[in-house]
Amino acid sequence: MLTKTSLMKACGLVLLLAVMLTFLLEPVDLQQGQHGPDGLNYLSQLHSLLFDQDLLLYNDDALVAKRTIVTSTGYALELHNIGTALAFLPFYALGTLTCRLGSAVCEIASQPIGAWLSLGNWMYGLLALAVLFRLAERYAPRRWAAVAVAGVALGSPLLYYWTRFFNPHMPSLLLVALMVLIWERTQDARSWHHWMLMGALGGLAATVASYNGILLLLPAADLVQSIRRRRLAVVGDGLVLAVGALAGLAPQLITWKLMFGSFLGTPYNQQLMWLEPGLPDILLSSYHGLYFYAPALAIATVGLVPLYQRDRALALKALLAFGAYVYVSSCNIAWWGGASFGARYLLAGLPLLVIPLASLLGRVRRRAMLCAALAISVAWSHGLLLADFSRLVDPGQYIPPRWQFGLQLDVLHRLPELVRQHLLAPRFSAAPIYAAPFSLLLSGALAVAVRLRGLPGWRTAAVAIALPLAVAIGFVLSDGPTQQEIDRLAATGALAGYPQSNFDVYDLSEGYRQRGAYRFVRGDLKGARSDWDTARELLPSRDWTRFHQAGRQHVPQPLEWQADANLTLVGWEAQEATVTLYWLAGEPVFGPRYRTELRLLDAAGREVAALLPGQPDPWRALPGDIVRIRYNVGWRAEDRPQTLVIVLYGADGAQEKGRLETEFGGQ
């Protein structure tokens, strides 16, 4: 029973947490990408939804300096699901209101807007933790249930995505956790509205991130079990589940239909390689592998054994859903999740792991040893987290395990400095402005979370399907693009070079390029070259890629030429018509700084082929990166060049920085 005194204490605690949180958030600077690499895409959607109530993103993309790509239906291309924007729309509106009340310049990426989006992300994460606790407390005493939740929260990428910037992972986690809670609590007795609510929550989770839809396998497994038991209600239950799922997914289906002309027209389908899953890498690799970055989750997975002993059917269904979730995520060509921390695509699967961990803590005899293992696992994860925060490592690159262990030692050596830098640093100055209204919102949300002990009724299910259906209908009724508007954009040169495109080839090309870098550093040269060739076919304008210096040992023609104080040539290779150079950067290169001239000479010293570029090399690099640059020299095998001459100039081409002649051994 929630008494008046306990409610006052809870509100006071929430207020204290809110005030503390607003001073601990990362400095808000959306234009600099501190709200994630996809933040500007979501901001474009948010601005359009709030001010225009449609999905026409031409003007909104321009406000965040995004290029405009027109799809076959005349809409501005947006690859990201609409669910994230819908989840954060109330907080975007509050940020806009705060701007105007404070007489601040209210731009699309203003500080108050960024602050409210961060606070919204924090609220979704906190509510998700409350739901995870409700899941865990059925399988262990409450204090050990709290330990289980702390273990998966602190020992996984959850903390990173919860406290740093707004992103789709916290709404995803909350929706999936609610679906798993309803599924688990209604195992023995389930009404029609429970089926509908599970479907709606699963559909909404898929609206945020499509791969979350695979977790509807949990209630689907119950339907299969009902068929085996010959229960006549299975057809009706299945229909109600499907209706709920379609209602929850309706905003995304309509978005795809409007933007791509098909209800299942997501361009990300092109990234799914169903017969080439990234297994077991997505679990074990030091390239964002789930268990490598979060060994606490490996301990949680072991908890499936005692869970199986307690409830065989539940354990098998959880294993089935989690296994399918891992498999689908691994089929993405970029299964590592880009420049992220840990296995971010698997974050919404935490509700399926907190139950086994709670079961393990509830039944194991030597809890002290288990807690010690969890503590060590959490320390490992936080070491990697501090390395990321401190820019000791580039999260977008594959780093072999032995280098990761070295990073942990470096973090341990610099620990006091890193703690001062990241926990005690001053945050954005206007924090108290947000604390009071946010504490009220948080109090209300937590009050709802307290009621999670009981099962939701049919009214909750009705709201869960009515809201997304209303949004979908609104999209259908909104005005679409006109040919006049498209022609106007084309005439002003505002459109990018992919008119009427269904897919931004840059995204897919980058996936192949990063996978090629991963394969190269691991020593799979054939696979790496295949990926890089595919990336170049998709995006011919780019001929370079970068990777961690651990791949230096695999450079085909190694050498050591200090071409510049900042640049070392560490190797090269040649295939017909091309020469590829491997440069090691000693300092950051964020813009064109060099121009490379190549000449191929025969045995008599005559020039066979040459590359005399008029433009500087466009590559970029961080300190310690190796940059692989492919140059189209145009030589032929029958010409049999004998010498490769490399001349490095400054970007303006006026000053020669160095010259190298080496024996040519083309393939």
Side-chain angles (χ1 to χ4, degrees), residues 183 187 190 195 217-227 317:
W183 169 78
Q187 287 284 305
R190 188 172 291 159
W195 288 102
L217 277 175
L218 284 172
D222 290 340
L223 291 174
V224 173
Q225 190 176 27
S226 295
I227 293 174
K317 292 171 189 174

Side-chain angles (χ1 to χ4, degrees), residues 379-402:
W380 170 268
S381 298
H382 278 253
L384 296 176
L385 192 65
L386 284 174
D388 181 279
F389 281 171
S390 308
R391 302 186 184 278
L392 299 177
V393 61
D394 180 0
Q397 294 188 24
Y398 166 64
I399 302 174
R402 65 182 180 87

